[in-house]
Amino acid sequence: MASMATILNKTPFLSQPLTKSPTSDFPFKASVSFPSRIRRGGAIRAGLIEPDGGKLVELIVEEPRRREKKHEATELPRVELTSIDLQWMHVLSEGWASPLGGFMRESEFLQTLHFNSLRLDDGSVVNMSVPIVLAIDDEQKASIGESKRVALFDSDGNPVAILSDIEIYKHPKEERIARTWGTTAAGLPYVEEAISNAGNWLIGGDLEVLEPVKYNDGLDRFRLSPAELRKELEKRNADAVFAFQLRNPVHNGHALLMTDTRRRLLEMGYKNPILLLHPLGGYTKADDVPLSWRMKQHEKVLEDGVLDPETTVVSIFPSPMHYAGPTEVQWHAKARINAGANFYIVGRDPAGMGHPVEKRDLYDADHGKKVLSMAPGLERLNILPFRVAAYDKTQGKMAFFDPSRPQDFVFISGTKMRTLAKNKESPPDGFMCPGGWQVLVDYYDSLTPAGNGRLPEVVPA
């Protein structure tokens, strides 16, 4: 077995599997059905896909000017950022939202909200389905006054960015929530965390981030920017990049999907398709497995050889999670274009969750993949929808579901997987690599009430 150091030298491992709502059962999916929009045969175009707008828009101040800019920031009106604001600043700074050059002004906000896209100066359209905005309250608005620039500070009082040529406009919370989630029902996690109690104004402008964003959580080495990912993919001579977003642990059904996708791309004529395994690293709801534990589990998947380090790049995607279904999955796909991906794997109910009030899913399970195939600005991206996989009792492993012998298959739901891990029970052999499963058991064990009956703090992996 290769050592982790060896694997990390081959696989940049920077920051959920495909699941449905944590409150409902569902069959895991695997394998890809290649749609008609993918050309089979003919010339294969090698190389990485261009970023939206033709180039990455990176917003980090060059090192020689950082001291000067930090001094400027201390003399400007201040806006303190929340942890989610900082995550969005990180996203913007590295070019994930290219060609966006800062927190959205009102015209960009409205286009995003109502068209899921932005029209550029040359008349072309790029996808943008999730508003990337910064909220301020009445007091902050008053303190800014007539200034056209503000400084952004973190919660420790450190200047982190400057926003210039600013525009302040009303924060239409109800409209934003209704258009993004398709409901204003109480209990939407991101809404409760970042919108309901936010200020009644939004401030947009041109962003200058004073230095690269670091979290100092032991995972910064795993956070590759789009430019760094492109450099790594070019180093590996990738002629196709297929991205898989996840916010949960990887099981063998996911591995089957990813390895089968590579096989199919090779059959299409590509010479070296590379998998971008891209766990979401920003805000997630409280009952999702924390990032540090997910990354530890992903390490075990590589150590155990479930995925090939030679053809896999693992990196953290810094975006917060909305759980906004077909609207949000467009953002997930668009951001991967900027990282060089030209294929995007989408499963059942992507970015979905259970309805916060009613006992049903919030979104139709098939709408995400259908919307991606039609979304404005995503025409250059090949969408790879799943077909079903399940645990095959006759083979003792995850396999593609065969409807001619349904009695041989077991669908292990997300609820069942969590229950087994919490009870320190083992899933069927072949469902997940043993090392990866043990990480899940250890995580849920860390949540066991202490002797005083209180839940302990979640311990970083």
Side-chain angles (χ1 to χ4, degrees):
M1 178 184 297
S3 69
M4 195 60 212
T6 301
I7 291 173
L8 290 179
N9 284 335
K10 297 177 179 177
T11 304
F13 199 91
L14 311 185
S15 178
Q16 296 179 34
L18 187 56
T19 68
K20 202 180 158 199
S21 128
T23 59
S24 60
D25 290 342
F26 68 101
F28 283 118
K29 303 288 181 175
S31 183
V32 162
S33 174
F34 281 67
S36 57
R37 67 182 285 183
I38 299 176
R39 296 177 181 175
R40 301 177 172 85
I44 293 296
R45 182 176 180 271
L48 302 182
I49 190 172
E50 286 188 350
D52 272 347
K55 66 177 182 178
L56 284 176
V57 178
E58 298 176 284
L59 306 175
I60 301 172
V61 174
E62 294 180 357
E63 204 282 331
R65 301 180 59 228
R66 289 176 189 170
R67 178 176 295 185
E68 169 195 346
K69 286 292 182 180
K70 287 180 181 180
H71 178 72
E72 286 182 27
T74 62
E75 299 179 343
L76 295 172
R78 299 187 177 195
V79 173
E80 183 174 319
L81 303 183
T82 66
S83 60
I84 291 180
D85 293 334
L86 280 165
Q87 290 168 10
W88 282 122
M89 187 191 79
H90 183 183
V91 165
L92 289 166
S93 73
E94 294 183 341
W96 294 102
S98 293
L100 199 60
F103 286 104
M104 291 178 173
R105 298 182 176 91
E106 188 173 35
S107 63
E108 296 162 328
F109 172 70
L110 291 175
Q111 288 181 74
T112 297
L113 212 57
H114 293 276
F115 308 136
N116 287 170
S117 61
L118 297 174
R119 186 169 295 280
L120 307 184
D121 291 341
D122 64 1
S124 62
V125 170
V126 297
N127 191 271
M128 182 59 69
S129 63
V130 171
I132 302 180
V133 292
L134 178 59
I136 58 174
D137 58 25
D138 293 347
E139 183 178 347
Q140 289 172 312
K141 180 176 181 292
S143 70
I144 293 169
E146 299 300 316
S147 176
K148 297 304 292 180
R149 304 171 75 208
V150 298
L152 309 183
F153 281 70
D154 66 18
S155 59
D156 295 324
N158 302 309
V160 293
I162 293 174
L163 203 60
S164 301
D165 193 19
I166 62 172
E167 177 185 352
I168 297 175
Y169 54 102
K170 289 185 179 180
H171 186 183
K173 295 182 184 179
E174 184 177 23
E175 181 182 2
R176 177 184 175 187
I177 295 165
R179 298 290 301 188
T180 303
W181 282 270
T183 181
T184 56
L188 296 168
Y190 186 92
V191 170
E192 293 188 342
E193 186 73 22
I195 299 179
S196 295
N197 297 318
N200 293 322
W201 304 92
L202 297 175
I203 180 171
D206 300 327
L207 184 67
E208 295 175 285
V209 177
L210 302 184
E211 57 187 8
V213 176
K214 302 295 180 185
Y215 296 83
N216 300 312
D217 58 357
L219 300 175
D220 283 332
R221 71 191 189 281
F222 300 142
R223 294 182 171 96
L224 291 178
S225 69
E228 291 168 331
L229 279 169
R230 285 174 171 271
K231 184 176 180 180
E232 176 63 27
L233 292 165
E234 287 172 353
K235 178 181 175 182
R236 298 194 186 203
N237 297 314
D239 60 351
V241 180
F242 56 109
F244 185 50
Q245 146 122 1
L246 66 169
R247 69 175 194 268
N248 293 292
V250 173
H251 60 71
N252 289 351
H254 300 127
L256 174 66
L257 159 67
M258 291 179 268
T259 55
D260 185 65
T261 299
R262 187 171 195 275
R263 178 186 64 81
R264 297 290 297 276
L265 290 172
L266 289 168
E267 289 179 353
M268 290 170 60
Y270 290 98
K271 301 301 182 184
N272 191 30
I274 298 293
L275 165 64
L276 173 58
L277 185 62
H278 217 196
L280 185 136
Y283 162 80
T284 55
K285 52 190 174 64
D287 59 354
D288 281 350
V289 177
L291 176 63
S292 60
W293 287 94
R294 286 185 274 124
M295 294 304 293
K296 186 175 181 179
Q297 195 268 349
H298 299 344
E299 287 183 341
K300 295 298 182 182
V301 168
L302 287 169
E303 285 180 359
D304 288 359
V306 177
L307 293 174
D308 183 0
E310 296 285 354
T311 59
T312 304
V313 175
V314 187
S315 175
I316 294 172
F317 177 47
S319 175
M321 187 74 191
H322 277 60
Y323 306 92
T327 297
E328 184 176 17
V329 74
Q330 296 174 66
W331 158 243
H332 293 165
K334 173 251 172 46
R336 277 37 181 249
I337 291 176
N338 287 329
N342 54 342
F343 292 87
Y344 186 78
I345 301 173
V346 60
R348 185 181 189 274
D349 197 18
M353 59 172 281
H355 194 285
V357 177
E358 304 173 16
K359 291 185 177 181
R360 62 177 177 85
D361 292 338
L362 185 54
Y363 306 106
D364 184 288
D366 293 326
H367 281 183
K369 64 185 179 184
K370 291 179 179 179
V371 166
L372 278 184
S373 70
M374 302 181 287
L378 295 182
E379 294 84 1
R380 297 184 298 139
L381 189 65
N382 295 297
I383 306 303
L384 307 178
F386 288 16
R387 72 174 191 258
V388 180
Y391 186 78
D392 186 342
K393 294 182 291 184
T394 66
Q395 300 186 58
K397 64 179 183 179
M398 298 296 287
F400 303 148
F401 179 70
D402 183 351
S404 70
R405 49 184 186 92
Q407 71 281 358
D408 293 334
F409 290 85
V410 176
F411 292 98
I412 301 174
S413 70
T415 300
K416 177 66 173 176
M417 182 183 75
R418 286 186 290 273
T419 300
L420 289 172
K422 289 175 183 177
N423 294 336
K424 300 183 181 180
E425 299 176 21
S426 297
D429 289 342
F431 173 74
M432 184 183 292
C433 66
W437 183 256
Q438 188 58 48
V439 172
L440 282 189
V441 172
D442 292 345
Y443 164 64
Y444 285 110
D445 190 48
S446 75
L447 303 181
T448 302
N452 58 11
R454 298 178 180 177
L455 281 173
E457 294 293 324
V458 175
V459 180

